[in-house]
Amino acid sequence: MDPADPIDIALRVYAEPHVKKRRARRSEEAAPWRPTAVLFLDCETTTDKAQRLNFGFYRYCRIQWSGAVPVLTCAEEGLFHADDLPTRDGEGFACLQAFAAAHSGDTIGRARSIRLRSQDEFLYRVLYMAGYRQRAVLCGFNLPFDLSRLARHAGAARSSRKRGDGDDAPSATYRGGFSFAYWGRERDGKWHDRPSMPRIAINSLDSKRALIGFVPPKGGRWFPGEFLDLRTLSFALTDESHSLASACTAFGVEHGKLRTEHHGSIDRAYLTYARRDVLATSELFVAVITEYLRHPIDLPPSKAFSPAAIGKAYLAAMGVAPILERQPDFPKDVLGIAMQAYVGGRAETRIRKEPVPVRYCDFRSMYPTVCALMGAWPLLTAERIEVRDAIAKVRRLLSGVNPSTVFEPSIWMSLMGFAEIETNDDIIPVRGQYSLRSGWSIGVNPVRPGHRQWISIPDAVASTLLTGSPPKVLRAIVLAPRGRLPGLRSVALGGTIPIDPRTMDFFEAVIERRADVLRSAEKDGAERARLGQFLKTLANATSYGIFAEQNRRQLPERETEKVTVHLPDRTFETTTSAPEDLGRYFFPPIAAVITGAARLMLALLERSVLDAGGTYAMVDTDSMAIVASARGDKGAAIPRLSWAEVDEIRARFRRLSPYDPSSVPDLLKLEEENLDEHGRPRELECFAISAKRYALFVRDTRGDPVIVKASEHGLGHLLDPTGDVGDPKAWMRTTWLWIIRRELGLVATVPKWFASPAIGAVPVSSPTMRRPFAELNRGRTYDETVKPFNFVLAAHVGPFGHPTGVEPERFQLVAPFEKDPAKWLGLEWIDRYSGRQYQVTTSGPVGAIGVARVKSYGDVVTEYRAHKEDKGLGPNGSPCGPEARGLLLRRSVGVRDVKYIGKEANELDERDAGVHHRLDEILSTYDDPKSDHWQELVRSIPTATLTRASGRDRSTIKRWKAGQTRPHARDQRSLGSYLVNRWTP
């Protein structure tokens, strides 16, 4: 695509679901969460493709409460084994028997002995009795995996919702997930549940969270059970994706996880390791629950799915009701305006493939900071929010914008609103398709004259800073608080830090208290670090994400729901197969202005650096690598500021800090990568390729590069090809070191694993992901199949490497999990769309029948090095090709067509692994019936091309071109995929 050509842009929309979600509300006087028993379990499996159950340990503990601290007494500790283990692995079964007998009378954790049970006995006598009849908490670490090992049968969680049911009905809650059977039998080739026994349904939200619950038998009362996944709860408290080992370390567990070099075998050493896992899980339960219950919130631990969930619970505890609940008549057109203005963080490379010295700077708590600066808290605690016309006010504001005025904190209180502008090379955020083969990506670009769009007022100010002239404002609105919510009340964060929402700005107070906690000597180091991390997580979770929360709900095949799309000037109804449920605190006007204010902060930093005679290497959301050396050199081809000049810019930003300087001294801080191990400044260099693809390095005494920070973007979805269990990310640093050494003209030895196929791994988290293995699973018992929540491998087909006769956009190879890279080429690879099996090669024939050529790690790295910065232009103003290097220019864009889309961040794990090739699989598009862009598009494309792309006959194509009919949504998807991948005008 020629950079001079107009591009398509996408705007987010407010698509209001017609099916309203009923909310189960807890009483104001709800009893505190105090269960009386908990069952811990952990399964050990084979390491083959089925990952079938071998054995597992469990601990059934009674809970006594000392205040808010659970005290466990182990009533029974046991071993369970797969029912077929005695015949499948007699030696292993004998080892289990010997281990149980040898530990008779053992007092570990106060258990009297270890009881050995079969899988069947464990399911009936322990899991059912404890979890369903006695209502004990069922607890594990990565619980979906363990529950899927124990199951006897699995199917899709079907919808049986009747008219009038809400989305809190059991069948609706787990729709799109799995339904597991544990109690019943196989008869005549079909599974039959025991009539009085429940199932367990699991609907995976992402790699760290899942909805889990009992589904009652027909006619039975719904008891969802209490399923507590400590992986989820530790993530909610720390905002980190923990393993059992790292969680035990983070929460100071006494008997942490042991290490082992082998899995899948059954011997005494491995049994000791597995038994310790359950003990570690029980101690982690005590530590995490003790930490969690310090928070004065009305949210059961099993419902704390994320930091945002805890943040919302704190808002509720302070009496801050959701805005759209207390003000249901809030104008929907304003919600539509806000969604169109809502754009994510700014990320770009300005100096490409040219190592430069930098000072790497980061804004402290960017989103809480701009919330405090703009007065978001008064809006959140207002009785009502008024929408006021403000065209004269906004025009006057923009006419006086310059760097000095934007450094005045008072101006930021005027930014809570939106402006419709007519572009004239104004630099604004653009969600565009910058190349034919790319999806939607976000840039900050000059937009050519004549395009009308709503943007946030902070983005309008940022454009004025960067261009020197204000945009042409056609309409403008601002939000203003009126009154104060009744019933606001104080809370103690973490049980120790008082916050009064009536007299404090919540965002400002949390960041200041965090700084105080980290300096405090009253708590031990581990507790101080955990509380500090929690406060940071809480501030970030409540200052942005909850206001933009939309949860995409993929409906079963051929099902759709109606939605109403609210645009700034009109509405229309349409249907979708993936409606987006709105989070309880969803309020896009705040979310859109917050992200706009973050981009304004970066624009102010960019303007400050340019005015000082410098430039920058890259920007990433809330950080910037400013080109600088100790003494500076503004006469260089790429000018360098001095460290002192960077410090002067940083000092200027202190004026904008809403925090007490004694607690938070710097708003724009130097990151630790700028300092050596003794805390002294050092020369840090940056090498960047494109947005979010960069590395920071220093030179050793010989002048060789040493990586200190390496971006994982574009690499992190791949498995470690080295098999290094000690540091699974070391291969990415090795990759960056190889790239940089080549760019510096140094000797760069090619790693041996460059020849290995580039393979990612994704969980079988939905029935759709399990479907490719239907033929492989056919005729096998459930234990022998590729089961839900197994990991599977995903290969990446190279250019022109698709087998003969397949559609590239509907071809994706997956295989049962195998950790040994040496075996990846020889696996049974299956196309997840057709279910057919294929062989793979990294260098074999192109287009052979039944053979696909997949990318090697070397291929991926070669593409990675050549990845273009499509949002910019080369130093000479030409397109930014693979070899472009040096100081890039901003690319001016024209607007060809506007698409209306839904949430973009869907199925991120699968997207990163390359499982999805078609954007429509993970992104909803809403077509405005008044738009005629499809007619314009089909008129510009030859009839023969349209026939091939859509599969429709020539008479249908002629009706499209004449405007008599429009392409059906299915045809639009086919045309879009075909044109992006195969046709260039």
Side-chain angles (χ1 to χ4, degrees):
M1 177 184 289
D2 189 326
D5 291 339
I7 65 170
D8 289 347
I9 69 168
L11 300 175
R12 289 282 296 273
V13 299
Y14 172 46
E16 184 181 21
H18 282 210
V19 177
K20 299 298 183 182
K21 188 172 183 179
R22 295 190 312 192
R23 304 186 186 280
R25 299 187 182 276
R26 291 167 61 84
S27 166
E28 292 291 332
E29 302 298 328
W33 188 82
R34 295 294 186 272
T36 58
V38 56
L39 174 64
F40 302 100
L41 59 91
D42 182 53
C43 295
E44 301 297 335
T45 70
T46 61
T47 56
D48 58 11
K49 61 190 176 187
Q51 298 171 41
R52 66 193 299 178
L53 176 69
N54 271 342
F55 69 93
F57 279 90
Y58 69 91
R59 292 170 69 84
Y60 178 71
C61 299
R62 296 189 180 91
I63 307 176
Q64 293 180 316
W65 291 90
S66 176
V69 178
V71 179
L72 302 183
T73 302
C74 186
E76 180 175 313
E77 181 183 14
L79 259 170
F80 54 86
H81 63 83
D83 286 332
D84 67 343
L85 188 68
T87 55
R88 174 163 52 91
D89 185 357
E91 186 177 338
F93 178 65
C95 189
L96 294 182
Q97 291 177 308
F99 190 87
H103 290 82
S104 179
D106 194 338
T107 59
I108 183 170
R110 300 184 181 178
R112 292 185 295 275
S113 62
I114 293 180
R115 183 164 186 172
L116 182 62
R117 298 180 184 268
S118 68
Q119 179 182 353
D120 195 58
E121 183 184 2
F122 174 75
L123 291 176
Y124 277 93
R125 299 290 182 88
V126 181
L127 185 64
Y128 173 72
M129 292 301 295
Y132 195 70
R133 295 293 297 275
Q134 298 175 8
R135 304 195 171 191
V137 176
L138 295 178
C139 184
F141 200 94
N142 194 13
L143 201 53
F145 181 84
D146 293 308
L147 292 174
S148 61
R149 303 309 97 178
L150 287 165
R152 300 297 199 178
H153 177 267
R158 304 283 180 190
S159 172
S160 60
R161 200 168 74 188
K162 300 176 182 177
R163 188 180 298 275
D165 286 347
D167 275 357
D168 53 352
S171 58
T173 301
Y174 307 109
R175 229 177 349 171
F178 290 105
S179 175
F180 294 97
Y182 299 84
W183 303 284
R185 61 175 178 165
E186 188 103 21
R187 187 174 67 244
D188 302 326
K190 293 185 177 180
W191 177 263
H192 298 269
D193 286 330
R194 189 165 176 174
S196 61
M197 310 287 272
R199 284 181 165 234
I200 295 176
I202 305 178
N203 188 0
S204 177
L205 302 177
D206 56 33
S207 62
K208 296 177 283 293
R209 306 176 300 153
L211 303 172
I212 311 175
F214 287 114
V215 176
K218 188 174 182 180
R221 189 173 70 84
W222 182 30
F223 165 60
E226 189 84 32
F227 294 85
L228 179 59
D229 191 340
L230 293 178
R231 185 169 189 257
T232 301
L233 186 55
S234 60
F235 161 68
L237 287 170
T238 64
D239 200 24
E240 293 183 17
S241 182
H242 280 292
S243 64
L244 178 58
S246 66
C248 287
T249 300
F251 287 91
V253 167
E254 180 182 358
H255 299 98
K257 184 178 175 69
L258 298 175
R259 293 191 62 179
T260 183
E261 299 300 324
H262 64 283
H263 291 275
S265 61
I266 304 177
D267 55 37
R268 184 180 180 86
Y270 195 74
L271 288 168
T272 301
Y273 158 85
R275 186 190 186 198
R276 178 65 166 267
D277 269 7
V278 180
L279 177 62
T281 302
S282 66
E283 292 185 357
L284 180 62
F285 169 86
V286 173
V288 172
I289 291 298
T290 300
E291 183 97 1
Y292 183 80
L293 292 181
R294 290 174 180 164
H295 301 292
I297 57 178
D298 183 18
L299 180 69
S302 57
K303 304 299 181 186
F305 291 119
S306 66
I310 296 177
K312 289 184 285 187
Y314 262 110
L315 291 178
M318 289 184 285
V320 181
I323 293 172
L324 295 183
E325 284 185 14
R326 66 185 189 244
Q327 194 173 341
D329 60 343
F330 190 87
K332 289 183 170 54
D333 62 329
V334 176
L335 299 179
I337 288 171
M339 287 306 298
Q340 290 202 357
Y342 173 59
V343 185
R346 174 183 168 187
E348 65 189 41
T349 283
R350 181 51 55 93
I351 299 174
R352 186 174 188 271
K353 301 185 82 170
E354 190 75 49
V356 287
V358 296
R359 293 272 88 182
Y360 182 43
C361 302
D362 176 80
F363 283 98
R364 189 182 302 273
S365 303
M366 176 74 94
Y367 291 143
T369 295
V370 296
C371 279
L373 275 171
M374 294 190 300
W377 191 244
L379 277 180
L380 284 172
T381 55
E383 189 173 25
R384 287 185 64 82
I385 295 176
E386 291 183 345
V387 180
R388 299 174 180 171
D389 180 82
I391 185 169
K393 179 180 178 181
V394 171
R395 285 174 176 171
R396 189 165 55 250
L397 168 75
L398 296 177
S399 67
V401 162
N402 59 58
S404 296
T405 60
V406 182
F407 271 114
E408 291 295 331
S410 58
I411 196 176
W412 289 73
M413 297 298 289
S414 306
L415 303 183
M416 190 63 75
F418 303 92
E420 185 187 27
I421 67 168
E422 182 177 314
T423 58
N424 185 21
D425 292 320
D426 304 289
I427 298 177
I428 62 173
V430 177
R431 183 187 286 105
Q433 192 171 25
Y434 288 88
S435 70
L436 281 173
R437 295 185 180 276
S438 71
W440 303 116
S441 57
I442 296 170
V444 177
N445 299 86
V447 179
R448 294 175 205 148
H451 173 61
R452 295 175 59 157
Q453 183 172 324
W454 283 93
I455 61 175
S456 73
I457 294 176
D459 282 314
V461 174
S463 177
T464 307
L465 277 178
L466 296 175
T467 65
S469 61
K472 180 180 179 181
V473 177
L474 306 175
R475 290 183 290 176
I477 56 174
V478 293
L479 307 182
R482 192 178 75 186
R484 178 185 284 175
L485 274 173
L488 293 177
R489 49 192 175 268
S490 298
V491 296
L493 304 181
T496 61
I497 300 172
I499 297 288
D500 187 341
R502 295 159 296 192
T503 60
M504 297 177 174
D505 183 293
F506 175 80
F507 306 109
E508 181 181 332
V510 172
I511 297 302
E512 289 179 349
R513 299 304 178 270
R514 176 177 183 262
D516 294 340
V517 164
L518 294 177
R519 287 198 308 269
S520 171
E522 296 179 4
K523 303 178 185 296
D524 65 54
E527 185 180 3
R528 198 163 57 238
R530 283 200 305 274
L531 183 54
Q533 177 63 34
F534 168 75
L535 292 173
K536 177 182 179 180
T537 299
L538 177 67
N540 289 331
T542 52
S543 62
Y544 162 55
I546 63 174
F547 307 118
E549 183 186 1
Q550 293 175 287
N551 299 304
R552 191 173 193 261
R553 178 165 44 89
Q554 184 66 54
L555 299 178
E557 206 167 349
R558 293 186 292 277
E559 281 192 26
T560 61
E561 286 183 8
K562 283 186 177 181
V563 296
T564 299
V565 176
H566 297 274
L567 301 179
D569 299 305
R570 62 189 182 279
T571 64
F572 64 87
E573 287 190 0
T574 186
T575 59
T576 179
S577 60
E580 293 169 345
D581 295 326
L582 308 180
R584 189 179 176 206
Y585 280 84
F586 176 79
F587 190 67
I590 290 181
V593 174
I594 288 169
T595 51
R599 291 188 294 273
L600 171 56
M601 195 71 80
L602 288 169
L604 183 58
L605 177 55
E606 177 184 350
R607 183 74 266 163
S608 300
V609 170
L610 296 177
D611 287 349
T615 188
Y616 59 94
M618 64 85 184
V619 166
D620 189 1
T621 308
D622 59 359
S623 61
M624 179 181 285
I626 302 170
V627 180
S629 57
R631 294 190 174 133
D633 184 358
K634 294 179 183 176
I638 297 177
R640 307 174 183 180
L641 298 183
S642 68
W643 291 352
E645 288 174 306
V646 173
D647 287 340
E648 289 174 8
I649 292 172
R650 291 177 51 236
R652 197 175 182 192
F653 274 89
R654 290 175 190 152
R655 290 199 64 187
L656 287 177
S657 177
Y659 311 116
D660 181 346
S662 64
S663 295
V664 184
D666 287 312
L667 181 60
L668 182 62
K669 56 188 174 66
L670 282 179
E671 290 290 78
E672 61 183 13
E673 287 83 1
N674 296 283
L675 308 176
D676 64 18
E677 62 273 19
H678 303 294
R680 297 175 301 210
R682 63 182 176 182
E683 187 107 324
L684 182 69
E685 295 184 64
C686 177
F687 181 85
I689 297 172
S690 60
K692 291 186 175 292
R693 301 186 183 209
Y694 61 90
L696 302 175
F697 65 97
V698 295
R699 312 261 185 158
D700 63 16
T701 55
R702 297 175 300 179
D704 289 336
V706 178
I707 304 293
V708 296
K709 179 181 174 69
S711 167
E712 298 177 17
H713 186 79
L715 295 174
H717 63 284
L718 296 174
L719 292 173
D720 180 2
T722 69
D724 182 3
V725 296
D727 187 354
K729 296 183 179 181
W731 74 273
M732 285 183 272
R733 293 193 296 274
T734 300
T735 296
W736 271 108
L737 188 61
W738 181 83
I739 291 172
I740 291 172
R741 289 186 68 89
R742 281 185 60 106
E743 295 295 333
L744 294 176
L746 302 174
V747 174
T749 304
V750 176
K752 293 181 179 179
W753 44 264
F754 266 33
S756 297
I759 303 298
V762 291
V764 182
S765 56
S766 68
T768 301
M769 283 300 300
R770 194 183 183 216
R771 195 171 299 142
F773 302 99
E775 190 61 36
L776 184 64
N777 289 341
R778 196 181 310 280
R780 301 174 186 265
T781 65
Y782 174 78
D783 287 342
E784 297 168 328
T785 64
V786 175
K787 288 176 281 299
F789 303 106
N790 281 26
F791 271 93
V792 296
L793 304 180
H796 303 263
V797 179
F800 310 107
H802 291 86
T804 301
V806 304
E807 295 181 57
E809 66 272 16
R810 290 188 61 81
F811 184 80
Q812 171 60 55
L813 292 176
V814 292
F817 187 78
E818 169 57 59
K819 66 178 181 179
D820 185 355
K823 298 179 180 179
W824 289 344
L825 286 175
L827 295 176
E828 300 169 292
W829 290 92
I830 302 167
D831 172 23
R832 83 175 188 91
Y833 291 95
S834 68
R836 298 187 186 124
Q837 291 192 13
Y838 292 86
Q839 295 177 322
V840 300
T841 177
T842 56
S843 58
V846 177
I849 296 176
V851 178
R853 188 174 71 183
V854 300
K855 295 177 184 177
S856 67
Y857 281 88
D859 293 331
V860 169
V861 174
T862 298
E863 291 180 2
Y864 194 85
R865 290 178 59 214
H867 196 275
K868 297 183 293 182
E869 181 63 283
D870 289 317
K871 295 177 286 189
L873 297 174
N876 60 357
S878 62
C880 181
E883 298 306 317
R885 65 177 62 239
L887 185 60
L888 303 184
L889 306 175
R890 273 201 167 94
R891 174 181 171 182
S892 175
V893 299
V895 177
R896 179 175 59 196
D897 195 11
V898 176
K899 315 287 187 182
Y900 298 122
I901 65 170
K903 180 182 176 184
E904 299 155 280
N906 301 305
E907 301 190 39
L908 292 177
D909 298 325
E910 289 81 359
R911 286 175 67 177
D912 289 345
V915 169
H916 295 295
H917 299 295
R918 290 172 40 177
L919 202 57
D920 65 283
E921 293 181 308
I922 51 176
L923 179 68
S924 297
T925 301
Y926 303 96
D927 286 316
D928 182 355
K930 293 188 177 180
S931 171
D932 60 355
H933 68 270
W934 276 107
Q935 184 181 356
E936 295 173 4
L937 181 64
V938 298
R939 281 177 175 172
S940 68
I941 300 172
T943 299
T945 300
L946 290 171
T947 303
R948 287 195 302 273
S950 66
R952 298 294 187 178
D953 56 38
R954 295 179 66 88
S955 60
T956 300
I957 303 300
K958 288 180 179 179
R959 286 195 298 272
W960 288 354
K961 289 198 168 193
Q964 297 170 346
T965 61
R966 298 175 74 250
H968 185 275
R970 183 171 54 252
D971 298 319
Q972 293 172 13
R973 290 195 294 270
S974 298
L975 288 169
S977 297
Y978 187 93
L979 296 174
V980 166
N981 285 286
R982 298 192 181 184
W983 185 72
T984 303

